Amino acid sequence: MSSSSTATVASADTVEEVRVEHAKPPRQTSALWVPRVDSLAEFGLMISRQLTQCRRYGGQLSVLWLETESAARSAVAASEPGPGQDAEGGPGPGSGDVEVHAALMMAVGRRLRSRVRGTDMVLQVGEASFAVLLLDAGGREAQLVHQRLASALNSPYGVAQGVETRTMQVRFQIGLAAFPEGGSRGADLAESARQDLRRRLG
């Protein structure tokens, strides 16, 4: 019998409930399911087809890179991952309550997925980062989405622990990059968006 935990996303106009099954990944039939990759290289492979079409037909494409504020500031302070951090700057397996963190990130992913178009791609990258691929969107359109998400994602989340629900606040920093100025490959484009995030942090 598998164990499970529940996360509830509380916002001004809606309440979203997230169920985390630890024995198996969430069902892929869910409209708000967000797949996960573990590196920039994997992300680059995921969007290679879209980039090929943009090069062939002269289309537009942008990437938003989102990191929890604590992870982003840690990455600025140190170029190499320190103890308790993974290669993407997020908390490692030994950091805090793994189940609560997983439920919180799933809640964030669901909220993020619901705030962008169905044609856009949302991926969790590592433990505490997300990437959004905006199709048919240049830098100007990406900036508008950036502003909208900055407000939507930084409101409180309610994460259930057993019979209790704990309100948790997680703040995200967001960077963006547009094709082809930010790079011609997926990993390069994501890295440009990460660097833009660092610059915004000052």
Side-chain angles (χ1 to χ4, degrees):
M1 181 175 181
S2 64
S3 62
S4 64
S5 63
T6 303
T8 303
V9 180
S11 63
D13 57 351
T14 185
V15 175
E16 300 166 339
E17 187 173 280
V18 180
R19 203 160 176 79
V20 184
E21 294 292 340
H22 301 296
K24 59 182 179 180
R27 293 182 62 185
Q28 297 188 24
T29 54
S30 171
L32 297 181
W33 178 70
V34 174
R36 173 176 164 171
V37 296
D38 292 321
S39 68
L40 288 178
E42 287 184 66
F43 172 76
L45 290 174
M46 290 283 287
I47 69 171
S48 60
R49 182 174 63 85
Q50 289 86 347
L51 284 169
T52 297
Q53 291 179 338
C54 282
R55 284 191 289 265
R56 182 175 300 169
Y57 302 111
Q60 291 184 309
L61 179 152
S62 295
V63 168
L64 297 180
W65 185 267
L66 303 89
E67 288 182 4
T68 59
E69 188 170 273
S70 58
R73 293 193 182 280
S74 296
V76 169
S79 58
E80 295 294 330
Q85 287 188 311
D86 67 8
E88 299 299 331
S95 301
D97 189 327
V98 175
E99 291 185 2
V100 172
H101 176 78
L104 177 59
M105 290 299 101
M106 180 171 286
V108 170
R110 286 176 63 99
R111 188 182 290 185
L112 177 57
R113 174 69 269 178
S114 71
R115 298 306 195 273
V116 297
R117 300 170 302 178
T119 54
D120 298 326
M121 180 187 295
V122 178
L123 295 170
Q124 182 177 345
V125 186
E127 296 289 344
S129 302
F130 290 88
V132 181
L133 177 66
L134 302 173
L135 298 176
D136 299 318
R140 181 173 176 274
E141 292 84 0
Q143 184 62 44
L144 293 174
V145 178
H146 177 288
Q147 294 170 358
R148 187 171 72 246
L149 291 179
S151 173
L153 296 179
N154 289 330
S155 56
Y157 296 81
V159 177
Q161 293 179 279
V163 296
E164 298 181 353
T165 298
R166 189 173 81 192
T167 299
M168 300 182 68
Q169 183 75 44
V170 55
R171 297 194 62 82
F172 277 87
Q173 296 294 330
I174 308 174
L176 63 88
F179 171 87
E181 297 85 0
S184 59
R185 299 188 308 164
D188 295 338
L189 203 56
E191 181 59 34
S192 293
R194 290 181 72 183
Q195 292 305 315
D196 180 60
L197 183 155
R198 308 287 187 264
R199 287 191 293 269
R200 291 170 188 265
L201 278 175

